[in-house]
Amino acid sequence: MERWTNNSAASRRRPLLVAIPLLLLVLSACSQELPQNSLDPAGPISRDIDGLFRLVFWIAVVIFVLVQGGLLYSVFRFRMRKGEELRPVAQVHGNTRLEVVWTILPAILLAGIAVPTLRTLFDLSAEPEGERIDVNVVGHQWWWEFEYPELGVVTANELHIPAEETVYLTMTSDDVIHSFWVPKLNGKRDAVPGRETNLTLIADADTVGDDPILGQCAEFCGLAHADMRIRVFVHTPEDFAEWVAQQAQPAVIPTEGPAAAGWETFQVVCSACHAVGGSDFQQRLAPDLTHFASRTTFGSATFESTPENLRAWLHNPSDLKPMDPDRNDIAAGRILGMPNFGLSESEITELLALLESFR
Ligand code: CUA
């Protein structure tokens, strides 16, 4: 008997135990401190989207309150009270005036929302006029390639842009459909094989600094979809010019020490997929390594470029990131992850020295 009462008390508490975490989860969405919060725009384009969202949201709030308020009022005002008999009520059907009102009002409202919505949609999809920086984006399973065609720069996963300037992305994919999404700068846009799509990014001046704006692939694209991330570093125009000048340089190929030994290994093992600017090796099946050490992360902006992480990666990349290198077909240009090459401890040390020299 005792047990039964305990159980029923517990089951009475159960809805509360479910409701509280749920409520906290919902409320946590209101936090402004989240790194990929599209309600915390960091540029004029995302601010336009945010403004439109807020307009529609508040209109919806007013309608929700009016409709639910009317409903609750009716439920309580006209409810059957204790001891009351069911009474016949006047049957009303087809009040023309009301019918007209609740047809026309929503129509006007929807038309009113359509005007700013369509304007924002057209504004966002228009090709920007005037000066801009072009970046070609290629989605790969599972990393992003960024090429600045006019500046002679190729890099991966970490996009560098100057503040308050228009950056125009022309995107495609090498394999399956990906989606480029940096919520604080713009909405999502798919990167589709065999097609070109575009996205404009403009970052506010106050986003300049060492802290990148974060983004990620937003279209399920296989095993490492969740690890297909993006970092956008925003610079002052001067710093950006400096970054470009540095990135446009060819690599300095080491000629002595462990880095030179690493270069020997690179030629045998890594050059089948990775390019190094200024060398004979220009395969772009995997991220360009010319200035690898200038990037803060690797593995599609998922892991900090620390010696420990890089060593673990060179031991067996699939330990860090879910990939499918067994299905690689270099001849067909299909790469589904870096294989475990069974590198020795000293080979790894030499490769780390080489990567470190690619500043
Ligand atoms: Cu690429 Cu998801």
Side-chain angles (χ1 to χ4, degrees), residues 251-266:
V252 181
I253 307 298
T255 51
E256 53 189 26
W263 179 244
E264 297 300 319
T265 309
F266 175 90

Side-chain angles (χ1 to χ4, degrees), residues 107-297:
I108 292 174
L109 201 65
L110 287 178
I113 292 175
V115 173
T117 304
L118 290 175
R119 198 174 52 212
T120 309
L121 273 178
F122 285 122
D123 280 355
L124 292 183
S125 58
E127 191 172 331
E129 289 164 12
E131 280 211 9
R132 73 187 195 203
I133 293 165
D134 279 295
V135 181
N136 295 332
V137 177
V138 184
H140 297 266
Q141 283 173 313
W142 291 272
W143 58 285
W144 296 97
E145 183 177 48
F146 301 127
E147 179 192 29
Y148 300 65
E150 281 117 37
L151 305 175
V153 170
V154 179
T155 187
N157 309 317
E158 299 189 357
L159 181 68
H160 290 252
I161 63 173
E164 295 188 304
E165 284 185 42
T166 304
V167 178
Y168 192 57
L169 309 182
T170 300
M171 309 192 290
T172 189
S173 165
D174 202 29
D175 33 55
V176 298
I177 300 176
H178 304 275
S179 181
F180 185 95
W181 189 35
V182 181
K184 289 192 176 196
L185 294 181
N186 203 334
K188 307 170 183 174
R189 182 111 348 124
D190 282 1
V192 183
R195 280 184 62 177
E196 281 188 352
T197 51
N198 297 96
L199 200 63
T200 306
L201 305 180
I202 305 172
D204 287 339
D206 64 9
T207 59
V208 169
D210 293 336
D211 288 336
I213 300 174
L214 302 185
Q216 66 182 75
C217 179
E219 178 72 53
F220 182 68
C221 55
L223 278 177
H225 159 69
D227 288 338
M228 190 168 166
R229 303 184 195 173
I230 302 157
R231 290 186 166 205
V232 181
F233 289 88
V234 186
H235 300 277
T236 62
E238 299 76 35
D239 286 351
F240 179 70
E242 202 173 294
W243 179 83
V244 168
Q246 193 261 334
Q247 295 287 314
Q249 297 288 323
V252 181
I253 307 298
T255 51
E256 53 189 26
W263 179 244
E264 297 300 319
T265 309
F266 175 90
Q267 295 178 59
V268 180
V269 179
C270 323
S271 64
C273 297
H274 290 280
V276 169
S279 78
D280 292 341
F281 308 109
Q282 295 301 323
Q283 273 284 27
R284 279 163 71 173
L285 298 175
D288 186 299
L289 298 179
T290 313
H291 297 287
F292 178 81
S294 72
R295 303 205 277 268
T296 62
T297 54

Side-chain angles (χ1 to χ4, degrees), residues 8-21:
S8 69
S11 67
R12 269 202 307 276
R13 276 200 302 272
R14 197 164 300 145
L16 205 62
L17 288 176
V18 174
I20 289 174

